[in-house]
């Protein structure tokens, strides 16, 4: 009994901590744990898109820009995850196409986009990966070589390391872990067989005569003790192994060094940051390589977005404003404000508000 109590004590204590809110609050302030602000921020959905950048008929740059070159950035990454053209070029070309800038035919490619990165500074070691870029974006007339636009664009981002949080506690102290489930099933089957079927068989002479069997020898008290002890040890070790695995996971060097030890996968991995590409901080992956890729993706996406915003301002190109079909009053105010600022207005999917109700609502019983 004492051994069973000792082996089950860690599980009981840890489950008590997991259900004790003051303990959770205290743990959030300790080093290595996710603080309260990050815990709340991780639950919040991204803010909706409010504006779009799109060149249309009458704009001189519409369907007329082709990417000339990118300098100051390696063609690919090598030993560590770092910004590279294999990651950057698809993102840039997709942005040019969606904004209406990219030339559709060689004949329409009147302007060339030249990009020179002056600074590419990103972390490859540590917990929180921070990075910054500074680049000159230049658009030149391909016939004359004259620059029609040139500006230095910077971007800043931090991909934060997710410290220990309640998800880790759920994994560590999950009573539905495979070891606990197997032990419980085995013990339950043994109890059902010995305490149920054997007792019924030995105490029912008619049943023995019908099937033609002999009484079954019952398990001794020593056998029951061994079964109890095995069950207690398995459940106790399962309760201890969970926190051990979490602790070993925190010691994994690949959580802090973004080395190329896995097959390369050069594609953007954008985090659901609160303000999208314009966010300067978000919670990243625990894997250092994935976290570095998220850092690079956000840095480059932010650089492209700031470039398009700056280009639109330089070309006196107003942004498209997104309004909701549902909020008639506020949408009207937005439309009036957009017209005054010479902006165009687009709406979300209005058909979503024309559909009938899918439920009666939330039921309430008021009878006493």
């Amino acid at each position: 009994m004492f051994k069973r109590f000792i082996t089950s004590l860690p599980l009981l204590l840890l489950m008590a901590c997991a259900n004790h809110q003051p303990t959770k609050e205290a743990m959030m302030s300790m080093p290595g744990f996710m603080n309260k602000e990050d815990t709340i921020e991780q639950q919040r959905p991204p803010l909706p898109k409010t504006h779009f950048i799109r060149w249309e008929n009458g704009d001189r740059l519409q369907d007329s820009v082709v990417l000339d070159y990118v300098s100051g950035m390696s063609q690919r990454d090598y030993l560590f995850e770092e910004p590279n053209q294999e990651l950057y070029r698809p993102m840039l070309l997709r942005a040019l196409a969606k904004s209406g800038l990219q030339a559709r035919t060689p004949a329409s490619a009147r302007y060339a986009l030249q990009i020179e990165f002056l600074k590419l500074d990103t972390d490859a070691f540590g917990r929180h990966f921070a990075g910054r870029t500074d680049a000159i974006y230049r658009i030149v007339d391909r016939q004359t070589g004259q620059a029609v636009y040139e500006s230095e664009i910077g971007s800043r981002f931090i991909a934060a390391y997710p410290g220990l949080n309640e998800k880790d506690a759920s994994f560590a102290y999950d009573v539905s872990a495979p070891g606990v489930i197997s032990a419980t099933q085995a013990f339950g089957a043994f109890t059902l067989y010995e305490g149920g079927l054997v007792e019924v068989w030995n105490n029912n002479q008619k049943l023995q005569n019908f099937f033609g069997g002999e009484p079954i020898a019952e398990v001794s008290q020593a056998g029951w003790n061994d079964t109890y002890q095995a069950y207690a040890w398995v459940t106790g070790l399962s309760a201890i192994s969970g926190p051990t695995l979490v602790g070993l996971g925190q010691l994994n060097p690949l959580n802090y060094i973004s080395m190329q030890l896995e097959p390369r996968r050069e594609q953007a991995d954008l985090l659901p940051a609160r303000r999208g590409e314009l966010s300067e901080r978000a919670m990243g992956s625990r894997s250092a390589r994935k976290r570095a890729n998220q850092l690079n993706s956000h840095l480059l996406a932010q650089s492209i977005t700031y470039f398009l915003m700056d280009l639109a301002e330089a070309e006196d190109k107003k942004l498209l404003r997104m309004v909701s079909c549902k909020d008639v009053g506020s949408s009207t105010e937005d439309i009036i404000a957009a017209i005054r600022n010479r902006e165009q207005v687009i709406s979300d999917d209005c058909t979503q508000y024309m559909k009938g109700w899918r439920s009666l609502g939330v039921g309430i019983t008021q009878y006493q």
Side-chain angles (χ1 to χ4, degrees):
M1 180 64 69
F2 179 74
K3 291 181 179 179
R4 278 179 283 177
F5 174 76
I6 293 298
T7 54
S8 61
L9 183 60
L11 179 62
L12 296 175
L13 291 177
L14 294 172
M15 289 178 66
C17 291
N19 289 281
H20 190 241
Q21 190 60 35
T23 303
K24 293 180 184 179
E25 298 285 345
M27 300 293 275
M28 289 180 184
S29 62
M30 295 178 62
F33 286 80
M34 186 181 295
N35 59 38
K36 185 175 181 179
E37 291 73 17
D38 287 340
T39 301
I40 294 176
E41 189 66 23
Q42 196 174 34
Q43 302 177 53
R44 305 179 72 185
L47 293 169
K49 303 290 185 182
T50 59
H51 292 80
F52 292 85
I53 306 174
R54 187 176 70 192
W55 273 259
E56 299 175 305
N57 294 333
D59 299 326
R60 66 167 179 167
L61 297 180
Q62 185 197 19
D63 299 335
S64 61
V65 179
V66 64
L67 178 60
D68 195 355
Y69 64 81
V70 178
S71 68
M73 177 186 288
S74 301
Q75 294 290 332
R76 53 157 292 179
D77 49 11
Y78 294 94
L79 185 59
F80 302 103
E81 286 283 340
E82 53 190 15
N84 61 89
Q85 293 196 36
E86 281 188 351
L87 179 66
Y88 179 62
R89 278 179 174 266
M91 298 171 62
L92 178 62
L93 294 176
R94 185 163 53 249
L96 292 177
K98 293 177 66 175
S99 64
L101 290 172
Q102 183 171 283
R104 301 188 184 186
T105 65
S108 65
R110 178 180 177 182
Y111 300 99
L113 173 61
Q114 302 171 352
I115 303 171
E116 300 176 8
F117 277 91
L118 309 175
K119 180 183 289 292
L120 277 174
D121 187 10
T122 59
D123 291 335
F125 305 91
R127 286 170 56 85
H128 303 317
F129 286 174
R132 61 173 295 180
T133 71
D134 291 308
I136 294 177
Y137 286 80
R138 182 186 306 111
I139 296 179
V140 301
D141 189 312
R142 300 183 72 190
Q143 294 182 355
T144 64
Q146 180 182 2
V148 299
Y149 167 83
E150 182 173 339
S151 182
E152 183 174 330
I153 303 297
S155 63
R156 310 288 185 269
F157 190 74
I158 297 176
Y161 179 86
L164 291 169
N165 52 69
E166 198 164 343
K167 290 183 179 179
D168 296 305
S170 177
F171 170 80
Y173 313 132
D174 189 0
V175 295
S176 63
V180 178
I181 292 177
S182 301
T184 303
Q185 291 176 342
F187 182 76
F190 177 81
T191 304
L192 176 63
Y193 170 77
E194 178 62 25
L197 298 179
V198 173
E199 289 292 329
V200 172
W201 176 267
N202 289 344
N203 295 323
N204 195 320
Q205 189 64 42
K206 292 183 179 180
L207 189 62
Q208 296 179 27
N209 294 336
F210 181 81
F211 287 100
E214 299 293 334
I216 300 175
E218 298 184 7
V219 177
S220 64
Q221 184 61 44
W224 276 102
N225 292 340
D226 291 341
T227 303
Y228 276 120
Q229 189 176 43
Y231 174 67
W233 275 108
V234 170
T235 53
L237 290 175
S238 297
I240 297 173
S241 64
T244 302
L245 291 175
V246 171
L248 291 176
Q250 296 298 303
L251 299 178
N252 185 356
L254 296 182
N255 286 349
Y256 313 103
I257 306 175
S258 62
M259 296 189 66
Q260 296 267 8
L261 299 180
E262 304 171 2
R264 298 180 71 248
R265 185 184 61 87
E266 287 305 324
Q267 64 183 52
D269 187 7
L270 293 173
L271 292 164
R274 182 71 170 160
R275 296 179 59 240
E277 293 82 356
L278 300 185
S279 294
E280 295 188 354
R281 189 181 190 277
M283 195 62 58
S285 171
R286 193 160 283 177
S287 165
R289 184 177 181 186
K290 293 181 180 178
R291 193 162 69 255
N293 180 264
Q294 292 164 344
L295 167 66
N296 300 335
S297 300
H298 270 272
L299 273 177
L300 299 179
Q302 186 181 117
S303 178
I304 295 171
T305 303
Y306 276 135
F307 154 63
L308 293 176
M309 293 173 61
D310 187 73
L311 177 61
E313 183 178 358
E315 292 287 306
D316 196 25
K317 176 62 183 174
K318 300 299 182 180
L319 305 182
L320 299 177
R321 179 176 294 194
M322 169 69 75
V323 297
S324 172
C325 291
K326 179 177 183 296
D327 301 326
V328 179
S330 59
S331 297
T332 303
E333 295 176 0
D334 288 340
I335 293 173
I336 294 175
I339 294 175
R340 288 175 178 173
N341 294 328
R342 296 188 295 118
E343 297 178 346
Q344 296 186 40
V345 176
I346 56 176
S347 68
D348 57 354
D349 187 2
C350 297
T351 60
Q352 295 296 322
Y353 307 107
M354 299 178 184
K355 299 179 180 179
W357 292 103
R358 296 183 180 180
S359 69
L360 296 176
V362 178
I364 301 174
T365 301
Q366 292 186 335
Y367 288 102
Q368 296 182 355

